[in-house]
Amino acid sequence: MHKKVKRKMWMSLIILFMAGGGYWFVTRSNPNMCHRAGDVLDVLDGVAIHYNGGIHATHGRNRTPDGYNIGIRYQCVEFIKRYFWERHKHRMPDSYGHAKDFFDPQLPDGGWNARRAMVQHVNGGGTKPAKGDLVVFRPWLFNRYGHVAIVASVSNNTVEIAQQNPGPWGKTRTSYPLVCTENHWFIEHPRLLGWLRLPATKT
């Protein structure tokens, strides 16, 4: 009986090791041979969306000529910061942080997010999302850093986002249902925290 238990333990360890190795390969390499890192997959408002490979793959840091930090190529954060820089010349006071750090859970709906110099709205709050907003997703089991994207279009019942680094086979555009109940707007996604918007003087 003791030998059987030890055998099961070893088998479990081997399976865990193989699963961990597979996860590392998929998230840090390029398992999709149809693209190479840096390939332009899409364009939103004149700003390119690049292919990254595995979601944790990195390709050096992108900075403006005067040193402002855009982010790690070609992560999701790099795209949204490059979008606001190229479109609006917007510099975030805090130019670092993971995707999850872009949403401050301590702020009220419509509060000022000083780290990003943007107005923050809670998913389910009183402000309808608009084209060009920055949406933030909470972390989950397979991505502890969270995710960020840009609102590409909005209708009365749908929000389309544009995103970089959704995974080797992920799509750059994804749509979610938009529901308004008693003047509260909710994008139906279980991990979507809310959206940030430039102040009117910057748009």
Side-chain angles (χ1 to χ4, degrees), residues 19-188:
Y23 177 77
W24 187 95
F25 175 78
V26 170
T27 59
R28 287 175 172 78
S29 65
N30 180 20
N32 185 349
M33 295 296 101
C34 294
H35 295 290
R36 294 189 300 176
D39 284 355
V40 176
L41 302 179
D42 197 351
V43 177
L44 177 66
D45 298 328
V47 181
I49 299 174
H50 297 276
Y51 176 76
N52 187 51
I55 60 171
H56 298 320
T58 60
H59 306 282
R61 187 170 294 278
N62 185 11
R63 298 180 186 272
T64 62
D66 64 354
Y68 173 65
N69 172 53
I70 299 294
I72 301 294
R73 304 183 184 94
Y74 297 99
Q75 293 285 327
C76 60
V77 167
E78 190 268 349
F79 166 62
I80 62 100
K81 290 183 63 195
R82 181 161 42 83
Y83 178 89
F84 284 107
W85 169 250
E86 292 185 9
R87 288 275 294 167
H88 305 286
K89 297 304 179 207
H90 179 66
R91 294 174 182 259
M92 296 184 179
D94 183 351
S95 66
Y96 291 86
H98 297 302
K100 63 183 181 181
D101 300 323
F102 280 73
F103 189 87
D104 185 349
Q106 304 301 318
L107 292 177
D109 184 34
W112 179 248
N113 189 320
R115 293 179 65 188
R116 312 304 170 184
M118 301 176 78
V119 180
Q120 179 175 294
H121 299 286
V122 177
N123 193 16
T127 301
K128 183 180 180 180
K131 185 180 186 303
D133 285 351
L134 187 171
V135 293
V136 186
F137 297 81
R138 73 171 77 249
W140 69 302
L141 178 63
F142 294 108
N143 184 358
R144 65 183 185 274
Y145 303 114
H147 188 56
V148 285
I150 301 293
V151 174
S153 64
V154 181
S155 70
N156 286 331
N157 53 22
T158 305
V159 169
E160 181 190 52
I161 65 165
Q163 58 187 342
Q164 188 169 267
N165 195 30
W169 296 279
K171 297 179 179 180
T172 59
R173 306 282 180 122
T174 302
S175 295
Y176 302 114
L178 176 64
V179 176
C180 182
T181 304
E182 297 180 350
N183 294 319
H184 288 267
W185 295 91
F186 184 76
I187 300 175
E188 290 192 329

